Amino acid sequence: MAIQADFHLHSNFSGDSSAPMEDMIQKAISLGLTHICITEHYDPDYIYLAGQDAIFELNTDSYLYELLRLRDRYKDKISVGFGVELGLQPHLKRELAIFSKSKEFDFIIGSSHLCNRKDPYYPEFFEGRSEEEAHREYFEAVLACIQKLPYFDVYGHLDYVVRYGPTKNDQYTYEKHADIFDKILNTLLEDEKGIELNTGGFRHGLNAPNPCLEILKRYRKLGGERITIGSDAHSPDWIANQFDKAEEILKACGFQYYCVYQGRLPEFIKL
C-alpha cells in the first residue's frame, strides 16, 4: 500500500466516537502507517435535536494534552498530527477565525455538516423535494462557506450530502452541478487550499469516495495538487479503509503525489 498517511481520524474527544486515542494510534502502527492526523470535531452552534447531547463541542486543551502525551510515547513508530475538523457555517466567521489561531494546529479540515441550519444526515433534509434540489442547496452552501471562511487547509468530503439521500448516489452525477463545482474548486485553488479523498463514502454504501471520481479528476485538471487521504474513521477498525482503492483512484485521476501536513504546511509524498 503506497498510501501510508491517514489524515482524517476521530477519537473519543469527538462526541460521536468512543475510541481511545491510543487505540487509534496503535492500530495505525499495526497497519504500517507512517503518518496520521487526529482531526476531532469542532462544530460550534450545531443544531441539535430535542434531547440530543452537545456531541460536537471540543475540549481542545484536554485533547491536546492527551495527543502530546501519546505523540511522545510513539514518536519512534509514527508521526501523530494535531488536527481539527471545523464545522463551517457562514455566520461563524469571527469565531472560527479566532479558534483556528488559538492553538498550533498541524492541519485543519473544513467541512460542511450543516446546510442552512439543517443536517443532511437526517431524512428531513430531503423531504418534499428531489434529491437533485437538496444536493444543489448543499453545494451552494459549500461554496458560500469556502468563499467566506478561509480558515482551513483542506476541504473535507466535498459531496458529503450524497451519503444520506434516499437513493444515496444512484441519481447523483457531477455534471448536474458542474457549474457550482467549478466555482468551488477554482476558489479553493485561488486560496491555495486542497481537498481530501475521503474513503468514508465506501463505508456508507456509495461504492465511491467523497468526493466522487469526476470531481477528483476535475480538480486535478484545473491544476489541483494538494490532496490528503482520510478514512474518517471513528474506530480503529476503519483506519486506512479502502486505501488501496484510493491509490488506484488517485493515479487514474492523474495525481502523482498526496499530502501530509505539519504546522499547516503541506509535504508532498509520491504515490
Side-chain angles (χ1 to χ4, degrees):
M1 182 171 68
I3 298 171
Q4 296 181 306
D6 192 333
F7 259 58
H8 193 148
L9 297 172
H10 299 280
S11 77
N12 56 9
F13 286 93
S14 290
D16 55 355
S17 170
S18 59
M21 191 184 299
E22 188 161 18
D23 289 1
M24 301 292 282
I25 293 171
Q26 290 177 344
K27 179 65 173 183
I29 292 169
S30 75
L31 293 171
L33 299 186
T34 59
H35 296 74
I36 60 172
C37 192
I38 310 297
T39 53
E40 307 293 15
H41 285 294
Y42 180 67
D43 269 74
D45 200 25
Y46 181 85
I47 302 298
Y48 295 99
L49 301 180
Q52 192 177 24
D53 292 332
I55 62 173
F56 296 122
E57 302 297 327
L58 178 62
N59 185 328
T60 316
D61 290 331
S62 295
Y63 160 39
L64 177 57
Y65 178 85
E66 179 71 354
L67 184 139
L68 292 176
R69 183 181 72 85
L70 294 172
R71 173 190 280 175
D72 185 66
R73 175 175 294 181
Y74 293 101
K75 63 185 178 183
D76 296 329
K77 297 182 178 180
I78 196 167
S79 171
V80 180
F82 173 44
V84 68
E85 183 179 9
L86 293 185
L88 304 180
Q89 298 187 69
H91 69 283
L92 297 176
K93 182 169 185 171
R94 177 174 171 77
E95 180 169 352
L96 295 181
I98 293 170
F99 181 81
S100 67
K101 297 176 182 177
S102 66
K103 305 290 182 187
E104 293 184 0
F105 292 106
D106 288 307
F107 180 58
I108 298 179
I109 299 173
S111 295
S112 294
H113 297 121
L114 290 179
C115 168
N116 298 324
R117 315 295 286 145
K118 299 170 289 185
D119 190 339
Y121 179 83
Y122 298 105
E124 291 79 5
F125 183 79
F126 296 90
E127 289 178 355
R129 54 180 172 168
S130 69
E131 278 182 285
E132 184 175 341
E133 290 171 324
H135 291 166
R136 194 161 189 88
E137 181 190 357
Y138 179 84
F139 298 135
E140 288 173 346
V142 167
L143 177 59
C145 285
I146 289 173
Q147 290 172 332
K148 296 177 182 178
L149 306 167
Y151 311 118
F152 61 91
D153 304 306
V154 161
Y155 189 84
H157 44 55
L158 177 57
D159 53 8
Y160 164 88
V161 66
V162 304
R163 291 182 181 180
Y164 304 112
T167 68
K168 295 189 179 291
N169 61 345
D170 288 349
Q171 310 298 322
Y172 160 70
T173 65
Y174 158 80
E175 289 77 12
K176 290 179 180 178
H177 310 286
D179 57 329
I180 301 176
F181 286 135
D182 269 9
K183 292 177 183 177
I184 289 171
L185 296 176
N186 280 310
T187 302
L188 291 171
L189 290 167
E190 288 167 8
D191 293 342
E192 297 186 324
K193 309 296 185 186
I195 62 172
E196 74 164 351
L197 188 162
N198 186 306
T199 63
F202 293 106
R203 189 165 72 251
H204 287 274
L206 303 182
N207 197 31
N210 298 113
C212 65
L213 182 67
E214 291 77 15
I215 294 175
L216 294 169
K217 285 182 177 178
R218 183 61 174 161
Y219 173 69
R220 183 67 197 97
K221 185 174 182 180
L222 290 170
E225 295 183 312
R226 298 189 186 197
I227 190 160
T228 58
I229 299 90
S231 65
D232 209 346
H234 289 62
S235 69
D237 290 344
W238 293 105
I239 294 174
N241 181 54
Q242 302 286 358
F243 271 26
D244 286 337
K245 194 171 290 186
E247 179 186 344
E248 294 174 8
I249 290 170
L250 287 178
K251 288 180 177 178
C253 292
F255 291 93
Q256 299 182 51
Y257 300 88
Y258 67 96
C259 289
V260 297
Y261 279 74
Q262 185 173 357
R264 308 285 306 277
L265 295 174
E267 175 188 347
F268 291 84
I269 299 177
K270 191 167 181 59
L271 284 165

